[in-house]
Amino acid sequence: MTTEVRVLSATGMLGSGFLESSLERGVALAPHVIAADAGSTDGGPAYLGSGTPFFSREATARDLRLMLRARARLGVPMIVGSCGFGGGNAGVDWIRDIVLEIAREEGMHFRAALIRSEQDKAYLKRRLREGRILPLHPAPPLDEAVIERSAHIVGAMGHEPIVAALEAGAEVVLAGRATDTSLFAAVPLMRGAGAGPAWHAAKTLECGTAAVVQRKRPDCLFAWVREDHFDVAPCDPEMRCTPQSIASHTLYENADPFLVTEPSGVIDTTEATYEAIDDRSVRVRGSRFRPSERVTIKLEGAELAGYQSVIIAGVREPYILRQLDSWLDGMQARFAERAREVFGFGPGPGGYDLRIRVYGRDGVMGKLEPRRDELGHEVCLLITVTTARQETSRAVAKSFAHLALHYPIPEWGGLISGLAFPFTPAEMDRGPVYRFNLHHVVQPDDPLEMFRTEMLEV
Amino acid sequence: MATLGELAKLIRSKNAGPFLLTFDVMFGDEATYRRVVASGVLTRARFAELYRIPESEVMFFRHDAARAIKISIPRPYVQCDLDDGDAYGGQQHAPLVELEVPD
């Protein structure tokens, strides 16, 4: 008898939505698991750093309610990974509370597993001293002080903690940071599908309908995973997968289109072939999974970079534009003197960080911009002021905006107003800003040691 | 003479994690894909020159099944660091759109 494991990916990102009719079509295909990814680093370090979610509670609860109803009818597990976007403890708690509220309202009963992936700083420092934290390329420098000052650090779990939770009877798995693929690979691997097809199917499923020809909306994607191949199709009959759309999904957000590194090995799609089954379904053969000798768990860390205030200003005057850089440099040098008079500090560590980005020149691409010598007839300046305290950043920004507005150029005699502020007050508070500070992997003794599972009877 | 933008089905850039940027140039048919590959307008060396980065930092791939050329590089600024102007890395492909491909 041949193995077939059916996997329903509800959506590429929990909270981005899916059609109820698509979920129904997926349910009718009798999946063995319903899963969705709920997080990423892609939104930036603020989510991990602050523990705040990307989507609203309402949008997240809407998707979860429909998924929980579907899993209850089918009697199959539901897996959500990277809860709360950053995947830290706050995100797992947030999703848990939404799930508990839905279960109460709907009269649902199930066993839930919460798998936490936030890392203990003492553990990481020990592994660092043991030489068992290794940099990926390119990696920022790492020492114990980096670990200490991180707001939150998570490890991206593989399928093993999820499989362990399911084997312990979990029907709803709410995981902290996890690799996107492990959520979708766990059940096929447990049920005996081929490792190559299981992992490649998982990679295809994790973004939902990102793998279709023309993505009309975030929606459900379905896979049939067998021993030596998998089939994949979207649940919405109006969307289509083609060999090219499935092959090209390995490119998305991935540095290497053929190799994807997971905690326990490498997904290798170099030899994969893609064949149309009909005009909307694709069969993939030849995917391989090459187990690694050692488990590696990728770390993600965010630390506070400071508190920021920003100023937006336009410049249209041709005499200023033709000397823009020297004008901006001059006003910043003058402001450093003014700041020392007012605040007792200047630019640099312990003082303020002030940057001016010039839109209309290289605001989008910075040092990658090949046309940075060209300037339009107007530019937009985005000025950021970052210090250790919000009140300080705001105070510095206020003083800078005023000085910059009237900073002279030699061509004109008399007071000028060289900046067009679209609104006043010119300065706006952005709150805390974070930076990613880790691009490293840990070599644990086993794939479970960095993750903690708590079972809940709901 | 046509531009790469006119020949491609999709040209895009995106983060590949907070520390890498990746560029996808995808074609709708085999002949156009082969033509662009054969033209040599988009190679590791040409990309490095256009983006003014060392060639050793450029990962370059051809993906025949996807009819795509793919390039990955370290991000010029870590995602959302103070100098980063493109949180999702989605607008870094623009110079590729205007590349001229000889007939």
Side-chain angles (χ1 to χ4, degrees):
Chain A
M1 176 166 159
T2 54
T3 304
E4 177 183 274
V5 188
R6 295 177 296 275
V7 184
L8 173 57
S9 169
T11 180
M13 170 79 197
L14 187 75
S16 70
F18 47 80
L19 287 179
E20 213 168 328
S21 58
S22 296
L23 192 76
E24 281 305 315
R25 284 195 180 84
V27 167
L29 296 168
H32 296 96
V33 59
I34 302 173
D37 177 33
S40 176
T41 56
D42 206 36
Y47 301 97
L48 177 60
S50 66
T52 49
F54 184 86
F55 282 116
S56 67
R57 185 184 176 94
E58 293 84 346
T60 304
R62 182 269 183 190
D63 288 358
L64 278 173
R65 184 183 303 273
L66 293 173
M67 290 170 65
L68 284 164
R69 283 181 188 160
R71 77 137 295 275
R73 277 161 54 204
L74 290 162
V76 301
M78 180 189 93
I79 303 170
V80 175
S82 301
C83 286
F85 205 73
N89 290 347
V92 175
D93 292 346
W94 187 69
I95 295 281
R96 174 201 60 199
D97 290 348
I98 297 173
V99 164
L100 290 177
E101 186 180 304
I102 294 168
R104 236 185 346 265
E105 289 168 3
E106 305 263 334
M108 293 170 174
H109 301 276
F110 48 80
R111 178 179 288 187
L114 310 177
I115 313 178
R116 295 182 194 276
S117 53
E118 196 152 335
Q119 296 302 305
D120 177 61
K121 289 180 177 177
Y123 168 82
L124 292 179
K125 287 181 196 171
R126 174 165 67 83
R127 287 302 191 203
L128 182 65
R129 285 194 295 273
E130 292 166 351
R132 288 172 66 173
I133 299 185
L134 307 174
L136 299 169
H137 177 73
L142 174 61
D143 57 23
E144 292 194 19
V146 171
I147 294 171
E148 191 52 44
R149 67 172 181 256
S150 295
H152 298 281
I153 301 173
V154 291
M157 72 181 77
H159 67 291
E160 298 90 345
I162 298 168
V163 169
L166 293 170
E167 283 174 345
E171 298 164 281
V172 170
V173 176
L174 306 178
R177 190 67 175 126
T179 72
D180 299 348
T181 39
S182 58
L183 317 172
F184 300 94
V187 169
L189 291 170
M190 276 176 83
R191 299 181 76 101
W199 282 105
H200 191 179
K203 172 64 196 156
T204 309
L205 287 162
E206 53 106 348
C207 279
T209 46
V212 306
V213 175
Q214 196 67 29
R215 177 179 177 272
K216 292 162 60 185
R217 60 177 74 80
D219 203 24
C220 310
L221 193 67
F222 201 94
W224 296 257
V225 189
R226 305 194 181 99
E227 280 155 30
D228 65 348
H229 71 275
F230 70 94
D231 297 345
V232 60
C235 294
D236 179 348
E238 291 181 17
M239 289 200 258
R240 300 191 306 127
C241 289
T242 63
Q244 190 190 12
S245 82
I246 295 300
S248 60
H249 188 63
T250 59
L251 275 61
Y252 190 62
E253 293 181 335
N254 217 17
D256 187 317
F258 299 109
L259 305 177
V260 180
T261 303
E262 294 291 327
S264 58
V266 176
I267 307 171
D268 184 347
T269 63
T270 313
E271 306 288 325
T273 59
Y274 305 83
E275 165 200 352
I277 301 174
D278 52 39
D279 65 353
R280 52 189 305 280
S281 320
V282 173
R283 176 160 296 175
V284 182
R285 297 181 184 276
S287 326
R288 284 178 298 172
F289 186 76
R290 294 196 267 109
S292 305
E293 281 178 30
R294 298 194 73 144
V295 171
T296 54
I297 300 293
K298 193 170 168 187
L299 295 176
E300 293 165 359
E303 65 180 55
L304 187 69
Y307 292 81
Q308 197 168 75
S309 295
V310 299
I311 301 163
I312 295 172
V315 180
R316 178 66 176 78
E317 145 96 60
Y319 294 167
I320 296 178
L321 288 177
R322 72 186 185 194
Q323 58 190 311
L324 185 64
D325 280 328
S326 60
W327 189 61
L328 296 176
D329 289 348
M331 73 173 65
Q332 289 178 80
R334 175 76 64 78
F335 182 70
E337 296 166 26
R338 175 73 182 139
R340 286 188 189 95
E341 290 168 14
V342 177
F343 306 106
F345 57 71
Y352 65 86
D353 178 286
L354 190 151
R355 294 170 201 235
I356 303 180
R357 188 177 302 154
V358 182
Y359 284 98
R361 185 181 68 185
D362 59 354
V364 171
M365 294 187 64
K367 62 189 174 190
L368 291 185
E369 178 57 73
R371 295 171 63 177
R372 68 186 321 182
D373 296 332
E374 300 172 30
L375 204 61
H377 66 276
E378 67 174 21
V379 299
C380 176
L381 305 179
L382 176 63
I383 302 160
T384 58
V385 177
T386 313
T387 76
R389 292 173 64 242
Q390 187 68 66
E391 295 71 20
T392 309
S393 293
R394 191 187 315 136
V396 170
K398 280 177 184 295
S399 289
F400 184 75
H402 185 256
L403 182 144
L405 173 64
H406 299 304
Y407 191 71
I409 56 171
E411 285 83 345
W412 297 125
L415 183 67
I416 69 165
S417 295
L419 293 175
F421 295 124
F423 24 70
T424 64
E427 73 287 350
M428 293 168 281
D429 290 348
R430 278 238 303 125
V433 292
Y434 294 87
R435 71 165 69 92
F436 281 124
N437 60 4
L438 290 169
H439 194 212
H440 295 75
V441 293
V442 183
Q443 295 176 326
D445 289 333
D446 70 69
L448 299 173
E449 80 175 23
M450 294 170 66
F451 308 100
R452 297 161 309 286
T453 301
E454 173 193 344
M455 301 298 270
L456 276 183
E457 298 297 335
V458 179
Chain B
M1 195 78 92
T3 62
L4 194 59
E6 289 162 348
L7 295 176
K9 188 179 89 165
L10 174 64
I11 304 178
R12 68 183 176 194
S13 62
K14 191 74 169 62
N15 296 333
F19 297 89
L20 295 165
L21 266 180
T22 193
F23 301 76
D24 300 337
V25 183
M26 296 155 73
F27 299 92
D29 65 88
E30 190 69 19
T32 310
Y33 170 57
R34 293 290 165 196
R35 172 186 162 188
V36 171
V37 168
S39 75
V41 296
L42 189 52
T43 61
R44 174 185 294 220
R46 291 293 301 274
F47 188 92
E49 190 186 347
L50 186 61
Y51 282 80
R52 299 178 307 166
I53 54 176
E55 205 178 318
S56 58
E57 293 281 29
V58 179
M59 291 192 273
F60 188 91
F61 305 93
R62 291 208 320 255
H63 196 308
D64 294 344
R67 295 195 286 266
I69 297 169
K70 184 175 180 69
I71 296 126
S72 299
I73 61 170
R75 260 179 151 278
Y77 317 100
V78 175
Q79 182 196 7
C80 292
D81 268 8
L82 294 176
D83 280 320
D84 183 34
D86 190 358
Y88 291 86
Q91 284 294 301
Q92 303 302 306
H93 63 289
L96 299 177
V97 178
E98 293 165 338
L99 275 185
E100 293 199 330
V101 184
D103 293 325

